Amino acid sequence: LDLSELDAAYKELQKKLHPDRHAQAPERDRELVETHAARLNEAVATLRSPLLRARYWMQLNGVRVLEEDQRMADEAAMFEVMEVSETLEEAKTQAEVDGLRRDNDQRIAGIEAQLHDVFAREDWEAARPLVERLQLLARLAAADQRVVPALRSALEALQGGGRAEPAAAGTA
């Protein structure tokens, strides 16, 4: 997926659906424009996210994946992500966090390449554990983003001569 093409098409459609362009339209038309703008935003978010895109592709092909009532089959992947998550929480330097981020980005890229191949073959059984693994890695990437501000605030406090209190995960 070419994200620059996606962004260009999105911006063009956003212009067409902008509320100012429809301010004088009847209320029913304005509501339709608002509905279409919301669907456009949802579609673009899905297309931009490898995880959401993979999930959507699976659903289009009648395969349930990442639903609450489903258990993840790949226990090794769960344990690997738990270990990396712990290492991330214990990271003391930005360099450590950056290294873990690079490693995770490489894992995600590898999963995306594998998904491309299994989707092309329409091998939905092989795709499901890959999508599940991608979800775990995406969550790890999100956790990585929460750790960095905590490290920065601690470092800033130390550089300012004060004592650093680590920020709670998910804050900042």
Side-chain angles (χ1 to χ4, degrees):
L1 177 65
D2 184 337
L3 291 179
S4 61
E5 284 183 33
L6 174 65
D7 287 340
Y10 176 60
K11 287 176 184 173
E12 190 61 37
L13 288 170
Q14 268 188 323
K15 287 177 192 174
K16 291 179 180 180
L17 295 172
H18 195 279
D20 291 347
R21 292 184 64 136
H22 304 279
Q24 302 303 318
E27 183 177 347
R28 183 179 183 284
D29 291 351
R30 289 193 313 266
E31 288 173 358
L32 259 172
V33 166
E34 185 178 318
T35 298
H36 288 305
R39 292 204 59 204
L40 172 65
N41 290 335
E42 183 181 327
V44 169
T46 298
L47 290 171
R48 282 185 180 148
S49 165
L51 176 61
L52 295 177
R53 195 169 57 241
R55 181 180 188 174
Y56 182 72
W57 191 250
M58 297 285 282
Q59 289 172 341
L60 277 178
N61 288 280
V63 181
R64 292 178 61 231
V65 66
L66 305 179
E67 293 184 13
E68 292 294 323
D69 65 332
Q70 293 179 311
R71 290 190 52 106
M72 186 171 171
D74 190 352
E75 289 185 24
M78 287 190 292
F79 287 119
E80 176 188 353
V81 169
M82 285 174 34
E83 286 177 14
V84 173
S85 183
E86 289 173 7
T87 304
L88 183 62
E89 288 176 16
E90 295 167 358
K92 300 205 182 346
T93 67
Q94 184 66 46
E96 289 176 301
V97 172
D98 291 345
L100 291 167
R101 179 182 295 138
R102 278 190 302 276
D103 292 346
N104 195 53
D105 289 347
Q106 289 174 349
R107 285 186 195 101
I108 288 172
I111 296 295
E112 288 176 19
Q114 291 176 45
L115 279 170
H116 178 77
D117 292 341
V118 296
F119 284 159
R121 293 191 318 265
E122 298 184 9
D123 186 352
W124 311 119
E125 193 166 320
R128 182 174 173 221
L130 291 172
V131 174
E132 291 172 346
R133 185 175 175 88
L134 182 60
Q135 180 184 44
L136 289 174
L137 295 173
R139 286 181 181 166
L140 187 58
D144 165 323
Q145 294 302 316
R146 289 191 302 269
V147 168
V148 173
L151 281 172
R152 283 197 186 120
S153 65
L155 288 172
E156 288 170 4
L158 287 172
Q159 290 170 348
R163 292 207 49 179
E165 292 295 324
T171 62

